[in-house]
Amino acid sequence: MSTFTLADVRERTYKPRDSWWTVWLVDPLASRLVTFVANRTSITPNQITLSALFLGLISAVCFFLGDWYWLITGAALFHLSFVLDCMDGKVARLKGNGSVFGSWLDYVFDRIRVLICAIALMGGQFLQSGDPVFLWFLLGIVFTDMFRYLNSPQMAKVRSAMRRHIAQAIREVEENTEGDTSGVRRAAGSFSSDENGAEHLGDDDASVSIGGSERVNAPSAATHYAEPDQVAQPTATSKAKELQSTTLQKGFDRRFPWYRQLRDSLRANRIRPHLFSGIEYQMGVFIVAPLVGVFSLTGMLVAIAASAALMFAFEVLIIYKLWLSVQEFTRVTRDINAALISLEERRRENTEVS
């Protein structure tokens, strides 16, 4: 049996960028538990996923009971449930026993946990106080969580569609320049990449994080142009990825020049720029809000509203960034089409001369 060290777990299962909640409050515990589970048990990722759901349901029961000590217990159990939710993906990557079904299971169980905990937390307070505001907040929690997990994959589809379109256009240019890599640059001079590489808010091509863990690994995001004498030549898809993460981000970079410095500072600590995503929202609603509710039910509602506002603010920022990328995409594809027409005309002229 393989023996995995804590260093192995960190190297092979940590994401290059993750939520600050996960980096600071989950990974230190989860990595040590993963080391124990991977070395001394035969527990599978799917079993861990089931355990996370079970712990989440117990947390919901505590929320429903509603008294201050149950709120504290429920918040603690929800955090442990999220730790397990992160562990299943780490064990899968460490031992290589992840599956597509496991990814689906993780996603669905996470949604079930959020829904039941929301009903329990707000329903319990409604039964105790009789105040219908808790029912309205229940609807708000469910809608906000649903919006986040519907918006994220749809935005990923848009980015993927743009990347495929650019890759196809690059193939056509290369075919018209007889496979000359430099011809792509000459044909579309606007395709200059910046010297700092690419890593932008909401444009993590390596993966789409759902619920807090990734059960199926995706290809790496950043692929740069290779020199002509290198063995591994870049593909049209890799070039499209580079263009998407550099050229298509120019509009955002022009408007927010300070962003790169912030991004690099966060990256040095393995924290992604999307500072308030679905993960932080869930933690705000099911950990911070119940703990605040121990002292003030109004404070609980304020914590939930603040969590929702912050998450929507970052979602709007990402949507705005995607809109700017689409504007650059339109310009880039127009330049490629113009280059293709120019190449075709040049080829026709050469044919007539010959």
Side-chain angles (χ1 to χ4, degrees):
M1 178 181 293
S2 301
T3 300
F4 302 104
T5 65
L6 185 59
D8 292 332
V9 174
R10 290 170 176 163
E11 180 181 353
R12 297 169 60 178
T13 73
Y14 277 15
K15 302 172 190 175
R17 296 172 301 281
D18 213 334
S19 72
W20 60 266
W21 186 281
T22 302
V23 171
W24 290 339
L25 301 176
V26 174
D27 277 349
L29 174 60
S31 59
R32 287 163 174 78
L33 292 176
V34 167
T35 304
F36 176 84
V37 168
N39 287 328
R40 303 191 181 185
T41 75
S42 57
I43 296 175
T44 66
N46 287 351
Q47 290 172 335
I48 298 175
T49 303
L50 288 169
S51 300
L53 175 64
F54 179 71
L55 206 58
L57 295 180
I58 297 178
S59 172
V61 172
C62 296
F63 287 147
F64 186 75
L65 294 176
D67 291 324
W68 67 269
Y69 42 86
W70 288 120
L71 289 177
I72 295 175
T73 304
L77 290 176
F78 190 90
H79 180 69
L80 291 176
S81 174
F82 183 72
V83 171
L84 291 180
D85 189 37
C86 291
M87 284 178 59
D88 56 11
K90 294 182 186 300
V91 170
R93 290 191 291 275
L94 187 65
K95 303 181 75 172
N97 58 351
S99 67
V100 175
F101 178 76
S103 180
W104 173 87
L105 198 70
D106 182 48
Y107 177 82
V108 171
F109 280 6
D110 192 44
R111 306 278 58 75
I112 292 174
R113 178 182 57 181
V114 169
L115 177 62
I116 293 178
C117 284
I119 293 173
L121 180 61
M122 294 293 96
Q125 295 304 317
F126 170 72
L127 291 178
Q128 287 198 357
S129 67
D131 192 339
V133 70
F134 290 101
L135 298 182
W136 287 108
F137 265 74
L138 169 59
L139 292 176
I141 292 171
V142 173
F143 171 79
T144 304
D145 184 75
M146 177 191 70
F147 174 80
R148 161 63 184 165
Y149 285 92
L150 287 177
N151 185 46
S152 179
Q154 290 305 313
M155 293 185 70
K157 286 182 180 180
V158 173
R159 290 195 294 267
S160 179
M162 289 193 296
R163 184 164 58 247
R164 288 196 304 270
H165 187 94
I166 293 175
Q168 179 58 34
I170 289 175
R171 292 189 191 98
E172 293 182 14
V173 172
E174 290 183 329
E175 289 173 0
N176 280 274
T177 54
E178 299 180 351
D180 181 10
T181 301
S182 61
V184 178
R185 291 180 175 178
R186 290 197 304 269
S190 61
F191 286 7
S192 58
S193 62
D194 53 63
E195 70 277 7
N196 293 321
E199 207 171 317
H200 293 270
L201 177 67
D203 282 340
D204 184 357
D205 289 319
S207 59
V208 178
S209 178
I210 298 176
S213 64
E214 291 170 356
R215 299 286 291 278
V216 180
N217 290 336
S220 176
T223 305
H224 296 277
Y225 283 106
E227 294 300 323
D229 58 346
Q230 289 182 326
V231 176
Q233 294 296 324
T235 64
T237 300
S238 68
K239 296 170 190 173
K241 285 183 178 180
E242 182 185 2
L243 293 174
Q244 187 173 35
S245 56
T246 54
T247 301
L248 298 194
Q249 310 306 323
K250 287 181 178 179
F252 184 84
D253 291 340
R254 283 195 300 268
R255 290 166 175 79
F256 305 97
W258 49 265
Y259 168 71
R260 284 188 176 277
Q261 185 175 356
L262 173 63
R263 179 207 65 188
D264 293 341
S265 176
L266 293 172
R267 182 173 58 180
N269 294 287
R270 207 166 58 84
I271 297 173
R272 66 190 181 196
H274 193 171
L275 294 177
F276 217 91
S277 64
I279 292 174
E280 288 81 12
Y281 173 69
Q282 289 182 29
M283 303 307 113
V285 171
F286 299 116
I287 296 179
V288 176
L291 293 178
V292 173
V294 170
F295 306 99
S296 168
L297 292 182
T298 301
M300 174 192 288
L301 297 179
V302 169
I304 293 173
S307 298
L310 285 170
M311 198 196 78
F312 272 118
F314 272 89
E315 292 300 304
V316 169
L317 178 60
I318 289 177
I319 292 171
Y320 175 64
K321 184 173 183 293
L322 179 65
W323 181 78
L324 292 176
S325 295
V326 171
Q327 308 309 305
E328 295 295 329
F329 168 76
T330 301
R331 180 185 62 79
V332 166
T333 52
R334 184 178 63 244
D335 290 346
I336 293 178
N337 291 334
L340 284 171
I341 294 174
S342 176
L343 289 170
E344 183 62 28
E345 291 176 350
R346 191 180 309 163
R347 173 182 292 180
R348 192 178 300 114
E349 292 174 357
N350 291 337
T351 302
E352 292 175 355
V353 170
S354 59

